[in-house]
Amino acid sequence: DTGVSQDPRHKITKRGQNVTFRCDPISEHNRLYWYRQTLGQGPEFLTYFQNEAQLEKSRLLSDRFSAERPKGSFSTLEIQRTEQGDSAMYLCASSQEWREIDEQYFGPGTRLTVT
Amino acid sequence: TQLLEQSPQFLSIQEGENLTVYCNSSSVFSSLQWYRQEPGEGPVLLVTVVTGGEVKKLKRLTFQFGDARKDSSLHITAAQPGDTGLYLCAATTPTNAGKSTFGDGTTLTVKP
């Protein structure tokens, strides 16, 4: 297994455009997380899936953000009508939670720049 | 309110020095992870601690979990420039269904 992969690594878009990011988790992991990270901060939780079910979505997440994980495998994160404040690193992680031990394995991230 | 408080926020030292960074909370943790993140990359898992008082060593890194499972420390001996990065702690608690919460990290710079 090659670990968690994300595509694209970098995305530059104009304000108002829609963007979609993809994450492929480690195959045997049942949990998949999306985070947003800005410079000097820790990862900020956006949402997570257990298999194909979206179990939690951050209150900070506006309606412009949506995530899917069809068939419990890869996931996509879409941002509609992007704003400059959406510029950040978007991280995906996967884990196989067991007895409240949640070791997350991260992908390399997608760097979004909104101009 | 931040569940996990990491300190110091920034640390700049010379190669060869020792250092300790901390992760604290008022909540009891079920488990705690430490990660290291380099610029432009995702965090990389270093260690998981579960038992109060547990000490784990990874080469020059020593991780300790507090007896009450509310705090943890990471000690680096003889720091090297390759240790430079953002050190993050993340923890699960009995109330958050096994989902980790991250601190804001300590940014470490080791100068040659």
Side-chain angles (χ1 to χ4, degrees), chain A residues 16-36:
Chain A
Q17 297 294 305
N18 299 342
V19 294
T20 299
F21 308 142
R22 178 180 169 124
C23 172
D24 287 90
I26 294 173
S27 56
E28 61 266 29
H29 285 178
N30 64 346
R31 283 191 171 183
L32 186 148
Y33 298 80
W34 285 100
Y35 295 91
R36 179 171 59 191

Side-chain angles (χ1 to χ4, degrees), chain A residues 9 31 33 35 37 40-43 45 48 56 89 91 97 99-109 111, chain B residues 9 30-31 33 35 37 40-43 45 47-48 50 86 88 92-94 97-100 102-105:
Chain A
R9 292 293 308 274
R31 283 191 171 183
Y33 298 80
Y35 295 91
Q37 187 178 31
Q41 301 295 315
F45 170 78
Y48 90 104
E56 188 175 339
M89 175 76 89
L91 293 166
E97 188 268 341
R99 289 191 177 181
E100 298 181 352
I101 296 174
D102 186 34
E103 295 180 334
Q104 296 186 23
Y105 293 83
F106 283 81
R111 169 72 65 189
Chain B
Q9 187 176 359
S30 302
S31 70
Q33 287 79 37
Y35 296 80
Q37 185 178 22
E41 300 293 331
L45 178 66
V47 77
T48 294
V50 178
L86 176 67
L88 295 158
T92 60
T93 69
K99 181 174 70 65
S100 294
F102 281 80
D104 277 339

